[in-house]
Amino acid sequence: LTGLSALAGIARPAWVETVNPERKMRDVMLCLDVSGSMLGYDADLLESYQELVDRFDGERIGLTVFNATAVSAFPLTDDYDLVSEQLAGYAEGFSLFGGSEYDPTSGTFNERILASSLVPDGLASCVLNFDHADQERPRAIILGTDNDVHGEGVYTLDEAADLATERKIRVYGLNPYDFGSNHQELVTATEKTGGRTWGLDQPGATAEVTSDIEELEAAR
């Protein structure tokens, strides 16, 4: 009996698995300006977002769109098939206005708000759309905007950046107009959070964004 027990113990299957839970805990909110000045670039930005998603592995991804008000297109999820389907649908919506089941600007304009392209409020909404606020999860926002604000909202861009910084959220910008005072203001705001800003067509931008996000909380 002792011999049989020993043989059973030796034959018992075993394996070694290495798990890195920290790598699976990052949350990334895609934050897209859908105001009039951006409509010609939003489809390209969504393609850039898809390139970023293709580089990720395990992060939860969400999408928030904004003009005068912000709308959650889809919440944070690690269902990458769903994410790809939604990004493709919204890109089609920008290409075929009225000819797609996706209306990328629906709910983002309010006639009672005499303003448009409220980038600071849009950024603040993206900050507030992260769940599990009580958990120490590495978080990042990828903000696609030209920062061409018309009117006044609740936040200034500096205040929205402060809100992100307080919640330990880094903000990375993609701007189709990477010049002038609006761009420089965006650069300053994103760097304040520990992030940075690229031109939309800047070579290697998506690879650098991905690399920066992968390094979030790397020491842990």
Side-chain angles (χ1 to χ4, degrees), residues 1 32 60 164 213:
L1 288 174
L32 184 62
R60 295 195 306 160
I213 289 175

Side-chain angles (χ1 to χ4, degrees), residues 18-28 56-60 80 135-140 212-220:
T18 301
V19 177
N20 179 3
E22 297 293 341
R23 185 175 62 83
K24 303 294 185 182
M25 287 182 62
R26 289 186 291 262
D27 291 341
V28 180
F56 291 145
D57 178 21
E59 286 83 358
R60 295 195 306 160
Y80 280 29
Q135 295 182 9
E136 288 290 329
R137 300 173 66 89
R139 296 176 171 92
D212 279 18
I213 289 175
E214 287 176 345
E215 291 173 2
L216 284 175
E217 298 290 337
R220 293 171 56 187

